[in-house]
Amino acid sequence: MKKWLIVVVLLAAMVVSYNWLANTQIKPTIEEAVKPPPQVPQKKATMTPGRVVELHTTKGEIDFVLFEKDCPKSTKRIADLAKEGSYNGVKFERVVPNLLIQTALAKTKKPINTIPRELADGLTNTKGAVGMARKKPVNSAVSVFYILIEPMPHLDYDYAVFGRVIRGMDVITSIKKNDTIKYAKVRPMTGADRKAFGKVLEIESERRVN
């Protein structure tokens, strides 16, 4: 009788586990495991700043420029979703203190296709880099993106970097898991934005020298 009861319990546990796995979505993420760096792409980045994305979060505002010439597919995806309001109410579901923050999937009414990984020599995972998160297949990015608080050079030319933060690093460092994007908007670049972007590149250059 006891053996029969144990078998029933084990079978029930197996059914519960199967159902949990079947209904659990594997979320896009970025890998932190150190591995040999991918080959540097032949395409050279122009790093031409395009439009600006504003993320109005529960902790404050974050602004980043889009490298629309270098990453047309990635930037169009992010800009389109922001304009549609698909990032409104989206949480930062992954936060690694002093390293990165990462959004959840955008809130779209219909499933959207994956986009190919876009790489260019010069678009690296430096401080303030904004990149597409994905699953293991390299062309599996959908709508999740990450922002780096500190450089992660072992990710260079493995994940598509499509933007750079120009304001709000203090907000980024204050973000906690499940903090929320209240709303996102896309706007043209201003003269002040261009100056801020130039300052970011200047600081980055000084960091590499030192």
Side-chain angles (χ1 to χ4, degrees), residues 96-191:
V96 182
N98 302 315
L99 195 60
L100 66 90
I101 63 174
Q102 181 174 301
T103 71
L105 286 163
K107 297 182 176 180
T108 56
K109 293 182 179 178
K110 296 180 180 179
I112 50 178
N113 295 329
T114 58
I115 54 176
R117 180 179 59 173
E118 296 178 297
L119 304 176
D121 182 11
L123 294 183
T124 58
N125 284 274
T126 187
K127 182 175 181 175
V130 187
M132 296 299 294
R134 57 172 172 78
K135 298 178 184 178
K136 285 187 177 181
V138 295
N139 296 321
S140 61
V142 178
S143 63
V144 176
F145 63 88
Y146 62 87
I147 302 175
L148 295 188
I149 299 170
E150 291 295 337
M152 295 181 70
H154 60 280
L155 299 179
D156 288 349
Y157 311 123
D158 196 2
Y159 290 81
V161 173
F162 64 85
R164 188 66 56 80
V165 173
I166 56 173
R167 295 185 193 88
M169 284 302 298
D170 57 330
V171 175
I172 293 168
T173 56
S174 72
I175 293 287
K176 305 295 183 186
K177 186 175 180 179
N178 293 327
D179 280 339
T180 305
I181 299 171
K182 295 192 290 186
Y183 68 93
K185 61 182 289 188
V186 185
R187 59 171 176 78
M189 169 169 274
T190 66

Side-chain angles (χ1 to χ4, degrees), residues 72-82 87 112-115 132 141-143:
K73 292 182 174 64
S74 301
T75 53
K76 184 178 188 306
R77 172 61 56 82
I78 298 299
D80 286 350
L81 290 173
Y87 286 111
I112 50 178
N113 295 329
T114 58
I115 54 176
M132 296 299 294
V142 178
S143 63

